Amino acid sequence: MKYQDLLKAADKFGTPCYVYDASKIKKQYDRLINSFKTVKNLKINYAVKALSNLSILKYINYLGAGIDTVSIQEVLLGIKAGFSPEKIIYTPNGVSIKEIIKVSKMGVNINIDNLNMLEQFGSTHSKIPVCIRINPHVMAGGNNKISVGHIDSKFGISIHQIPLLLRIVKNTNIKVNGIHMHTGSDILDIEVFIHAAEILFETASKFENLEFIDFGSGFKVPYSPGDNETNIEELGSKLSKRFNKFCNDYGKELTLTFEPGKFLVSEAGNFLCSVNSIKQTTSTVFAQIDSG
């Protein structure tokens, strides 16, 4: 975005204000789509947690993506932005069974990562399909605070609990339509992603009648000029080939799903503020701005 355009926005709307470059969001969206062009069925669900601005959500909907939500509030925000319930997936952690049931009645796709919640939900709402989030026990991400697929993580159902998971599915007769994972954020090493994907494929093979496999996201984005980023094109080439082989072995064309958040929006934003005053002390000059 040109400097002159930002100045015009500041003059028109005042400061402080946020300005987002829609062309950058579309460029990232198209880049992801093109990287997986050999996959027959690809679905992008934007992670609302990355940026929940209503105008951004409306634009994401315009591009054709769905959304990934973690709370009933994000679900309602998505509906307000124009997303139909079937384009929303709800992946909560630590919410009550009442909230899960309430959201399920909206027609939103449900993703459960808790054996106890799955058993409760399946015992009373077995006709509503659910996706299962697994924990592959893979350490991935920029640091341990944003790595959520390791053995001590609160997210997902452990791969060591798969036998118990299968027993609950059989006993409740609940339909599992998807398998999901999200191992962390700022993943730079593609091979770590591929390794986790193999675990996801192994888990998916244990379920009949799946409709999609959700690989989450966590792509590394550059935070400054020259910073490293995930090679989406290389990941697309490698994972597409493996996914297509899995579908062939599975005997059914499944949908490959991603949930990018920062990847789509982090490079598109500008925060504008004005300098209220300049204050000079004996050692430092402060620019005091109107953003608080």
Side-chain angles (χ1 to χ4, degrees):
M1 185 172 288
K2 295 180 180 180
Y3 178 71
Q4 291 81 0
D5 294 330
L6 294 176
L7 287 178
K8 290 179 181 178
D11 288 338
K12 181 176 181 179
F13 299 105
T15 60
C17 73
Y18 289 96
V19 178
Y20 296 99
D21 186 349
S23 66
K24 180 61 179 180
I25 297 174
K26 185 178 188 305
K27 181 180 178 181
Q28 290 293 91
Y29 180 80
D30 290 343
R31 182 184 172 196
L32 188 55
I33 293 291
N34 291 332
S35 295
F36 290 85
K37 60 185 177 183
T38 61
V39 172
K40 186 174 182 179
N41 301 313
L42 178 68
K43 184 176 183 181
I44 306 300
N45 289 323
Y46 167 68
V48 174
K49 66 177 75 65
L51 176 62
S52 57
N53 180 289
L54 189 61
S55 295
I56 296 297
L57 293 180
K58 289 179 179 179
Y59 184 68
I60 294 291
N61 189 27
Y62 166 77
L63 291 178
I67 53 173
D68 162 58
T69 62
V70 299
S71 67
I72 190 171
Q73 288 80 12
E74 287 188 351
V75 170
L76 294 172
L77 190 61
I79 291 174
K80 185 176 181 179
F83 289 93
S84 56
E86 62 269 16
K87 292 183 69 176
I88 302 174
I89 187 166
Y90 167 70
T91 309
N93 179 268
V95 306
S96 69
I97 188 66
K98 291 182 180 180
E99 179 171 316
I100 295 176
I101 293 172
K102 186 174 182 179
V103 172
S104 72
K105 291 180 179 180
M106 298 178 184
V108 170
N109 298 290
I110 305 297
N111 190 9
I112 296 179
D113 80 336
N114 182 321
L115 289 175
N116 179 40
M117 288 296 180
L118 179 65
E119 189 166 27
Q120 289 186 62
F121 187 79
S123 297
T124 55
H125 296 79
S126 62
K127 293 183 179 180
I128 298 178
V130 299
C131 176
I132 303 295
R133 177 176 181 173
I134 70 161
N135 181 340
H137 297 329
V138 172
M139 179 66 77
N143 58 66
N144 61 3
K145 295 183 182 298
I146 54 176
S147 296
V148 295
H150 55 83
I151 194 168
D152 293 321
S153 173
K154 68 174 181 174
F155 298 98
I157 296 171
S158 168
I159 53 173
H160 299 312
Q161 295 176 307
I162 296 299
L164 181 55
L165 167 62
L166 294 173
R167 194 179 312 145
I168 291 173
V169 170
K170 181 179 180 180
N171 290 342
T172 61
N173 201 32
I174 194 168
K175 179 184 177 183
V176 178
N177 64 351
I179 298 294
H180 168 276
M181 74 170 182
H182 177 65
T183 55
S185 298
D186 285 357
I187 302 173
L188 190 60
D189 188 348
I190 291 174
E191 295 309 315
V192 172
F193 204 104
I194 296 296
H195 171 61
E198 287 297 334
I199 297 173
L200 195 60
F201 287 134
E202 173 63 24
T203 303
S205 68
K206 302 180 185 300
F207 294 86
E208 298 179 355
N209 303 314
L210 291 179
E211 297 174 6
F212 64 93
I213 299 180
D214 192 329
F215 293 86
S217 183
F219 309 132
K220 173 73 171 67
V221 295
Y223 293 110
S224 59
D227 192 13
N228 293 327
E229 62 178 316
T230 304
N231 189 330
I232 294 297
E233 290 74 20
E234 183 181 354
L235 176 63
S237 176
K238 291 183 176 181
L239 186 56
S240 294
K241 183 178 181 180
R242 183 63 185 88
F243 180 81
N244 288 335
K245 182 181 184 304
F246 177 84
C247 290
N248 184 65
D249 295 340
Y250 191 74
K252 179 183 178 182
E253 288 289 348
L254 303 178
T255 297
L256 191 162
T257 304
F258 279 114
E259 299 168 353
K262 290 188 297 181
F263 178 79
L264 294 181
V265 300
S266 68
E267 296 177 88
N270 296 271
F271 181 50
L272 309 182
C273 54
S274 300
V275 177
N276 287 330
S277 64
I278 299 294
K279 179 178 180 179
Q280 183 168 355
T281 68
T282 54
S283 62
T284 308
V285 177
F286 295 94
Q288 298 176 317
I289 57 179
D290 63 353
S291 63

